[in-house]
Amino acid sequence: MISRSSLGRSARLAQKLQCCSHPVNRRGLAAPASGSFQYETGDAGGVKLASRDLSGPTTSLAMVAKAGTRYQILPGMADALEKFAYKVCSEDSGLRRGRRRTALRITRETELLGGELSAYHSRENMVIGAKFLRDDLPYFVELLGEVATQTKYTSWEWNEDVIPNIHLAQKKLLGSTGQLAINSAHGVAFHRGLGTPLHPSSSSALSKYLHDDYVADYAKAAYSKPNIAIVANGATNTELSKWVGEFFGAAPSAPPSDVPKLESPPTKYYGGEERIAHASGNTMILAFPGSSSSTGGSYKPEIAVLAALLGGQSSIKWAPGFSLLSKSSSSYIGAHVSTTYKEYSDAGLLYITIEGSPKDVRGASGEAVKALKSVAEGKTSKEDIKKAVALAKFRALENGQDIHAGLELTGAGLIEGGKAFQIDEVGKAIDGVSEEQVKKIAKTLIDGRATVSTVGDLYALPYAADIGLHV
């Protein structure tokens, strides 16, 4: 027989579990982030800056320049400028005046301080960054100032380091069907500007356009004060302003008159189809016009909700998930399906990526179009849309909290319109998306002109018309 004491323990346990079984009803879903994640903006000697004084012993710092591939004056220029970061700086260098700071010296000093350096470019921005212990802020602000104002674009660095690394990036691009498809989709959707590839293909005539002297001229415009912003996570605005004012004073107040302006016309969406033969895999991208970033003028939070609703990959381990594509493509086990939306300053791209065997890609791509049509026809349950809103809000807030992503978003917003990326505003906008808004945007996309990029076995992979898309 079961003892009385055992029954007592079981009853107490059951009562405790019952009390904890509905915590969601008491606290609400995905509450907005606290005010500690708001950026404080400012200006130091003509350079825009923003900071979040996050508690902790480390700091992340970035110089964001409006000098991505969209704004490059010649093919491959953004790639080359990125690879010149942290190279030789001149002897006239702030606190260390009279001593040349070479790449080797920069490496050794950074390692002694326990820091990390990074440099990358996106379609719109160049991001030169550093992570380090909080007390070392002056050193790394000075270092970024030297990158902007003191870098020497020498021929030997160009020939021995920069050009070989550009060629390696080209080979990496050539071997990835996914990257080829993404570049293709942007090119078909936007043509020039945002359609410019992140890395030039191996067939590009780079030698015709690239030279170390041209990169030096491009840098003068890229790193001018109106074209850059300094963003920090883990530093006070007062301290950041002090050091930026001291170490970025030598940055030109305007781009040189003899260098073409780094500008791009307003983005226009075109759409269409491109097919590229490749023997190493199969990737198909179905893309549609999306939303600008929250700091842009055409922000549409319903795009984020639609992307979460379409999905493709479950956010819960060992469960298929609620997303439409994870359900509809489950019979094509050889296909990997995901939905992504990219936001830029004045436009965006929502795209579904399908990878796998030709047979599975063909089947899953047809199911993806059917799923989007079902949303447009209002056949999606209210519960699924509610889940999509919650997931989209979580992802947006998580991305805003991500130190790496927040730096570029904030810097770009400051340069374009003097507005920092604020995490709370994005969360509130997504929270207000209705079922009707999701249905309306889905219908607009499916009735409009799509962008389809196919890379792989073209004999077996479908055309856009085969799966019911207009291009």
Side-chain angles (χ1 to χ4, degrees):
M1 293 180 65
I2 301 175
S3 67
R4 188 180 298 273
S5 60
S6 297
L7 284 172
R9 286 195 301 272
S10 299
R12 287 194 298 272
L13 178 60
Q15 185 180 15
K16 187 181 293 185
L17 290 174
Q18 185 177 9
C19 292
C20 299
S21 61
H22 303 289
V24 172
N25 295 333
R26 291 200 299 273
R27 71 168 184 84
L29 283 170
S34 67
S36 63
F37 284 99
Q38 294 286 347
Y39 276 101
E40 184 180 353
T41 60
D43 185 285
V47 178
K48 300 180 184 70
L49 57 91
S51 66
R52 293 192 293 197
D53 188 12
L54 304 178
S55 60
T58 63
T59 298
S60 293
L61 177 72
M63 174 176 65
V64 181
K66 192 178 75 172
T69 51
R70 176 179 182 174
Y71 302 103
Q72 63 186 9
I73 54 181
L74 290 171
M77 199 67 74
D79 207 13
L81 183 61
E82 173 208 314
K83 289 171 174 55
F84 260 116
Y86 306 116
K87 300 300 182 185
V88 176
C89 295
S90 74
E91 297 176 1
D92 184 12
S93 55
L95 291 178
R96 293 162 179 80
R97 192 180 304 276
R99 290 187 292 165
R100 171 168 296 208
R101 202 200 295 249
T102 64
L104 177 60
R105 179 181 165 191
I106 291 171
T107 300
R108 286 179 173 175
E109 289 179 347
T110 301
E111 289 176 342
L112 285 170
L113 294 174
E116 296 180 12
L117 303 177
S118 63
Y120 72 91
H121 71 275
S122 62
R123 296 187 185 276
E124 292 193 302
N125 305 299
M126 182 75 57
V127 183
I128 312 298
K131 295 189 290 184
F132 46 87
L133 296 174
R134 191 181 183 110
D135 291 341
D136 296 325
L137 179 66
Y139 172 86
F140 287 96
V141 175
E142 180 191 16
L143 178 58
L144 295 193
E146 289 183 5
V147 171
T149 62
Q150 305 293 340
T151 298
K152 292 299 178 185
Y153 300 88
T154 60
S155 297
W156 64 270
E157 288 273 16
W158 172 256
N159 292 316
E160 295 180 14
D161 195 6
V162 175
I163 286 294
N165 275 292
I166 290 177
H167 290 160
L168 284 175
Q170 289 178 314
K171 291 179 180 179
K172 184 178 180 180
L173 172 65
L174 185 62
S176 171
T177 58
Q179 289 301 311
L180 284 172
I182 290 172
N183 275 332
S184 168
H186 279 80
V188 172
F190 303 121
H191 293 185
R192 300 184 184 275
L194 288 176
T196 305
L198 272 179
H199 302 281
S201 66
S202 56
S203 59
S204 301
L206 287 185
S207 58
K208 178 180 177 182
Y209 299 104
L210 285 184
H211 191 275
D212 53 292
D213 289 338
Y214 300 163
V215 180
D217 290 338
Y218 181 56
K220 293 175 184 176
Y223 296 142
S224 62
K225 288 181 179 180
N227 208 60
I228 62 174
I230 310 300
V231 188
N233 283 319
T236 65
N237 199 265
T238 301
E239 189 178 12
L240 181 63
S241 179
K242 172 187 175 183
W243 298 118
V244 169
E246 180 171 344
F247 295 125
F248 280 82
S253 56
S257 58
D258 58 342
V259 177
K261 292 183 179 179
L262 305 190
E263 56 187 9
S264 174
T267 300
K268 179 182 177 181
Y269 176 83
Y270 295 90
E273 183 172 16
E274 184 175 28
R275 295 167 65 83
I276 303 170
H278 204 288
S280 297
N282 302 280
T283 300
M284 195 169 183
I285 287 184
L286 317 179
F288 308 88
S291 163
S292 73
S293 65
S294 61
T295 58
S298 55
Y299 177 55
K300 301 174 185 176
E302 58 267 31
I303 289 289
V305 176
L306 179 60
L309 181 62
L310 292 173
Q313 301 300 306
S314 175
S315 58
I316 309 297
K317 193 173 184 179
W318 310 125
F322 73 90
S323 73
L324 302 182
L325 296 185
S326 65
K327 297 174 184 176
S328 63
S329 61
S330 58
S331 56
Y332 302 98
I333 58 175
H336 181 276
V337 184
S338 62
T339 305
T340 308
Y341 68 99
K342 289 290 187 181
E343 297 176 333
Y344 304 105
S345 61
D346 62 348
L349 198 66
L350 170 71
Y351 59 89
I352 302 168
T353 304
I354 307 159
E355 297 177 302
S357 67
K359 180 181 177 181
D360 287 323
V361 170
R362 186 181 188 94
S365 62
E367 292 297 329
V369 175
K370 290 179 183 177
L372 184 58
K373 287 182 177 178
S374 71
V375 180
E377 294 167 359
K379 296 180 179 179
T380 308
S381 69
K382 292 183 178 180
E383 183 180 355
D384 281 347
I385 291 181
K386 187 177 179 181
K387 291 177 182 177
V389 170
L391 180 59
K393 182 178 179 181
F394 166 75
R395 286 177 175 171
L397 295 177
E398 182 187 39
N399 189 53
Q401 284 181 279
D402 180 84
I403 292 173
H404 182 73
L407 292 172
E408 182 180 355
L409 287 170
T410 300
L414 286 174
I415 296 168
E416 285 293 334
K419 182 181 179 183
F421 170 79
Q422 302 293 9
I423 185 173
D424 289 0
E425 296 176 9
V426 177
K428 290 176 183 177
I430 293 176
D431 227 6
V433 173
S434 66
E435 182 181 355
E436 187 59 34
Q437 283 178 286
V438 177
K439 176 183 174 181
K440 183 178 179 181
I441 193 66
K443 181 170 177 56
T444 300
L445 299 185
I446 202 69
D447 290 345
R449 192 176 185 189
T451 293
V452 178
S453 292
T454 307
V455 182
D457 182 359
L458 300 185
Y459 176 77
L461 294 172
Y463 283 86
D466 297 336
I467 56 176
L469 286 178
H470 308 291
V471 293

